[in-house]
């Protein structure tokens, strides 16, 4: 979906500026975007948050891109590919005449260098807190029995073959992830990209991740002022068309009200995650407001390292205590859908008949009594502050609504709030949390990208060990036939519903707002938004 007030626009990656856009010389070519939080780092391979990926999508590109306005894979740095009948080898034909921002040639050797880099991580680099995406998708690293990656060969200058240890039906769409983007092997080595420090709970990043991110995308890194902004400049040797925007300023404004005020004052050109209460007023004032198609899930997760949460009666009680309809109506944006499972309805394997736990506080109290908590239950409730995410635009308000519902069912919560980066470190890097708010914006249209990432292996966030579920997901991701895979994932979604690892709450529809001078914006359900596609008027 593209916001286009002056007519349709095709991708400027290949076609250049359209007739509906004013010439670059007639417009202010600096585009200022208000972000809801600080990036965790600028090396996308070590990131798992939306603000880091928002920036990296403009610096880096992957072998596979995303068809504009959809969640479906499309050629990018790989012009074509062919997978062997056994599903174990994929050969990529690469785009010629592409260079990284440091002048290094993009070729088959660079592709293999990136795959080998990920595979050979050890120690802190190979932990969930840092290499979340690679570890989740590729099953492990060098020496791990479950590792999916086997090898990569540069067949010639522009032909690379990647070999896997077993079939993975989501391999091609997974390569559209920012975390699997191509990075300059020269810069990775020169700036010691893999020399990470600290701990899993509080990692520190390399010089590369803080000051030298080097990709092939339309924009090159200029500066990062922590807590204030990240600045990118147009890359003059970009292989595609640059478009009108010559400078991007990602300005950190963590408060939604402050972001709205900055837009109204003309200090920024646009921002994401508009507060539900602000959309009508902004539209009436002449600003451009649009919604992405919902490709998200917001959930209340249970950490089963907490003894009380190991009891399925307790987990079922919490599920019955939540009024999801009220949450959607009172707190979340227009267009949000109530969730019954951990994937959106448009994803293959959605189960229309999945077991649900309807709002019933009396039943919740009965279950608590049966579990031995007739006098009530006390739990820690973790949530983030000063952040908005596409699946969680207003976490403080969501926390207030849910904690009130839990209280009515006899569950007393102790609130623990953290700033966003610290929150992710706590939830994903340690067992020091209880029930907690989190969610997901799908990266590509594949069921494994939701339930496989959440529940494919044992991890810190959920804290459970369920070999039967892990095995079912491992088998499903190897099924090449879409219909057969869909039927298997329907069974898995029912298996998850009965296990109750958490409560899927909603599928929010995030909103964006722009100054009237923004006449076209490449809105994407998976946030694949590259700013050389923006059109501006005088």
């Amino acid at each position: 979906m593209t916001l286009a007030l002056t007519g349709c626009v095709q991708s400027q990656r290949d076609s250049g500026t359209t007739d509906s856009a004013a010439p670059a010389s007639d417009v202010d070519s600096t585009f200022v975007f208000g972000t809801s939080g600080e990036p965790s780092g600028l090396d996308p391979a070590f990131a798992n948050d939306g603000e880091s990926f928002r920036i990296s999508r403009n610096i880096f590109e992957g072998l596979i891109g995303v068809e504009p306005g959809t969640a479906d894979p499309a050629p990018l740095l790989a012009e074509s590919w062919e997978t062997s009948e056994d599903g174990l080898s994929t050969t990529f034909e690469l785009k010629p005449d592409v260079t990284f921002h440091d002048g290094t040639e993009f070729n088959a050797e660079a592709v293999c260098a990136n795959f080998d880099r990920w595979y050979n991580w050890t120690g802190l680099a190979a932990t969930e807190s840092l290499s979340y995406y690679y570890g989740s998708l590729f099953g492990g690293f060098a020496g791990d029995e479950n590792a999916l990656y086997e090898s990569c060969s540069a067949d010639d200058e522009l032909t690379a073959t990647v070999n896997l240890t077993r079939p993975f039906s989501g391999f091609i769409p997974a390569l559209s992830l920012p975390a699997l983007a191509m990075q300059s092997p020269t810069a990775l080595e020169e700036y010691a990209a893999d020399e990470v420090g600290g701990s899993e709970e509080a990692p520190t990043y390399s010089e590369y991740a803080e000051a030298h991110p080097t990709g092939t995308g339309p924009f090159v890194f200029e500066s990062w002022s922590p807590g204030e902004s990240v600045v990118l400049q147009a890359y003059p040797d970009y292989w595609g068309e640059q478009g009108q925007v010559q400078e991007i300023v990602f300005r950190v404004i963590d408060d939604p009200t402050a972001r709205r005020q900055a837009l109204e004052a003309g200090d920024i050109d646009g921002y994401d995650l508009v507060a539900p209460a602000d959309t009508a007023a902004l539209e009436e004032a002449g600003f451009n407001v649009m919604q992405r198609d919902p490709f998200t899930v917001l959930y209340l997760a249970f950490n089963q390292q907490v003894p009380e949460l190991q009891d399925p009666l307790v987990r079922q009680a919490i599920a019955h205590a939540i009024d999801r309809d009220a949450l959607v109506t009172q707190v979340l944006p227009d267009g949000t859908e109530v969730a019954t499972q951990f994937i959106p309805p448009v994803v293959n394997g959605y189960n229309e008949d999945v077991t649900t736990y309807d709002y019933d506080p009396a039943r919740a109290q009965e279950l608590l009594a049966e579990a031995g908590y007739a006098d009530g239950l006390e739990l820690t409730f973790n949530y983030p502050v000063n952040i908005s995410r596409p699946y969680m635009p207003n976490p403080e308000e969501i926390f207030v609504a849910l904690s009130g519902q839990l209280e009515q069912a006899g569950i007393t919560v102790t609130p623990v709030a953290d700033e966003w980066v610290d929150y992710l470190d706590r939830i994903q890097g340690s067992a020091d949390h209880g029930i907690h708010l989190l969610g997901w914006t799908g990266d590509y249209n594949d069921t494994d990208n939701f339930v496989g990432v959440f529940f494919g292996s044992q991890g810190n966030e959920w804290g459970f060990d369920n070999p039967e579920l892990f095995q079912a997901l491992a088998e499903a991701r190897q099924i090449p036939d879409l219909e057969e895979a869909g039927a298997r994932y329907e069974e898995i979604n029912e298996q998850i519903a009965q296990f109750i690892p958490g409560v899927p709450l909603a599928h929010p529809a995030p909103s964006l707002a722009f100054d009237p001078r923004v006449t076209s914006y490449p809105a994407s359900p998976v946030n694949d938004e590259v700013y050389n596609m923006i059109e501006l008027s005088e």
Side-chain angles (χ1 to χ4, degrees):
M1 178 174 61
T2 301
L3 171 65
L5 303 183
T6 55
C8 296
V9 54
Q10 59 182 334
S11 170
Q12 293 179 2
R13 286 184 187 272
D14 300 309
S15 64
T17 303
T18 66
D19 293 339
S20 63
S25 60
D26 294 338
V27 301
D28 178 359
S29 62
T30 296
F31 183 80
V32 184
F33 193 87
T35 68
S36 66
E38 187 89 74
S40 62
L42 299 177
D43 180 347
F46 285 144
N48 57 39
D49 64 290
E51 294 304 348
S52 296
F53 290 155
R54 187 194 306 278
I55 296 167
S56 70
R57 279 185 167 99
N58 287 279
I59 300 174
F60 300 96
E61 296 170 313
L63 294 177
I64 307 300
V66 178
E67 195 69 37
T70 76
D72 300 325
L76 192 49
L77 291 180
E79 293 188 324
S80 64
W81 55 89
E82 184 175 349
T83 300
S84 61
E85 289 188 12
D86 61 8
L88 298 180
S89 298
T90 300
T91 299
F92 298 92
E93 299 298 332
L94 308 179
K95 183 175 288 294
D97 302 320
V98 176
T99 60
F100 292 99
H101 299 156
D102 61 354
T104 300
E105 183 180 356
F106 169 73
N107 55 26
E109 289 186 358
V111 170
C112 290
N114 277 269
F115 273 93
D116 288 341
R117 177 205 182 196
W118 306 325
Y119 178 63
N120 287 294
W121 278 328
T122 59
L124 186 61
T127 61
E128 180 181 357
S129 183
L130 274 82
S131 51
Y132 181 77
Y133 274 100
Y134 183 84
S136 297
L137 289 165
F138 283 81
F141 304 88
D144 292 342
E145 182 180 347
N146 197 44
L148 176 66
Y149 175 74
E150 182 176 85
S151 64
C152 177
S153 62
D155 305 333
D156 59 41
E157 187 74 7
L158 294 175
T159 306
T161 297
V162 177
N163 302 301
L164 305 179
T165 60
R166 58 188 178 276
F168 172 30
S169 60
F171 179 58
I172 292 300
L175 294 180
S176 68
L177 285 168
L180 302 179
M182 296 291 103
Q183 306 195 46
S184 165
T186 305
L188 290 169
E189 182 177 358
E190 180 177 357
Y191 299 107
D194 294 339
E195 290 186 7
V196 293
S199 64
E200 188 174 358
E201 293 79 11
T204 57
Y205 296 95
S206 68
E207 181 183 3
Y208 175 85
E210 294 182 346
H212 299 281
T214 309
T216 64
F219 296 93
V220 61
F221 174 76
E222 175 72 17
S223 65
W224 180 9
S225 301
E228 296 180 10
S229 64
V230 174
V231 180
L232 311 182
Q233 300 287 344
Y235 177 43
D237 295 325
Y238 181 54
W239 60 265
E241 294 294 334
Q242 181 57 55
Q244 290 177 291
V245 175
Q246 296 297 296
E247 179 181 64
I248 308 171
V249 179
F250 294 99
R251 183 170 297 163
V252 180
I253 309 174
D254 56 25
D255 180 66
T257 300
R259 289 200 297 277
R260 186 201 72 219
Q261 292 170 340
L263 181 67
E264 293 170 333
D267 295 333
I268 61 176
D269 291 301
Y271 72 99
D272 201 351
L273 312 176
V274 179
D278 291 340
T279 54
L282 285 169
E283 287 179 325
E284 290 174 5
F287 294 97
N288 300 325
V289 179
M290 65 180 302
Q291 283 187 333
R292 292 190 185 92
D293 292 334
F295 200 62
T296 59
V297 62
L298 166 68
Y299 57 73
L300 178 68
F302 306 150
N303 174 19
Q304 291 189 40
Q305 292 297 306
V306 176
E308 293 88 341
L309 295 173
Q310 295 172 9
D311 189 335
L313 294 175
V314 170
R315 302 199 300 273
Q316 189 175 343
I318 297 172
H320 278 299
I322 301 302
D323 187 346
R324 289 174 283 194
D325 290 302
L327 181 71
V328 167
T329 302
Q330 297 169 8
V331 176
L332 295 171
D334 289 343
T336 296
E337 301 171 359
V338 171
T340 63
Q341 50 211 284
F342 287 89
I343 64 172
V346 296
V347 175
N348 188 37
Y350 188 83
N351 189 335
E352 297 285 355
D353 301 315
V354 75
T355 296
T356 58
Y357 302 88
D358 297 334
Y359 176 57
D360 189 342
R363 177 60 180 151
Q365 290 176 328
E366 291 175 1
L367 289 164
L368 288 176
E370 188 177 344
Y373 300 102
D375 296 328
L377 174 66
E378 296 184 6
L379 292 171
T380 297
F381 192 153
N382 299 85
Y383 66 100
V385 293
N386 299 322
I387 190 71
S388 299
R389 304 304 319 129
Y391 50 80
M392 185 171 56
N394 43 0
E396 293 94 337
E397 293 179 40
I398 296 168
F399 163 77
V400 170
L402 293 180
S403 59
Q405 294 175 5
L406 293 170
E407 196 81 36
Q408 292 179 3
I411 301 170
T412 302
V413 301
T414 299
V416 176
D418 285 299
E419 297 290 335
W420 181 238
V421 174
D422 294 334
Y423 184 75
L424 289 180
D425 288 341
R426 179 192 293 272
I427 300 301
Q428 296 174 345
S430 79
D432 182 24
H433 55 278
I435 62 173
H436 58 275
L437 289 176
L438 209 54
W440 192 257
T441 299
D443 300 296
Y444 51 89
N445 196 353
D446 185 82
T447 325
D448 186 71
N449 183 239
F450 285 88
V451 292
V453 172
F454 301 154
F455 310 123
S457 62
Q458 193 168 4
N460 291 320
E461 180 180 355
W462 306 89
F464 66 78
D465 185 15
N466 186 332
E468 183 181 351
L469 177 58
F470 301 159
Q471 182 63 30
L473 286 163
E475 292 173 356
R477 72 202 307 253
Q478 298 182 51
I479 300 173
D481 181 77
L482 194 64
E483 185 174 345
E484 182 183 350
R488 187 70 186 97
Y489 277 119
E490 286 188 28
E491 296 173 359
I492 289 172
N493 278 317
E494 175 61 22
Q495 187 177 352
I496 293 168
Q498 293 191 25
F499 182 59
I500 324 177
V503 181
L505 299 170
H507 303 295
S511 298
L512 305 100
F514 297 97
D515 186 272
R517 86 183 189 103
V518 181
T519 58
S520 182
Y521 181 85
S524 164
V526 294
N527 294 347
D528 185 58
E529 295 159 3
V530 185
Y531 291 2
N532 65 327
M533 298 173 66
I534 289 174
E535 292 186 3
L536 305 170
S537 64
E538 294 182 57

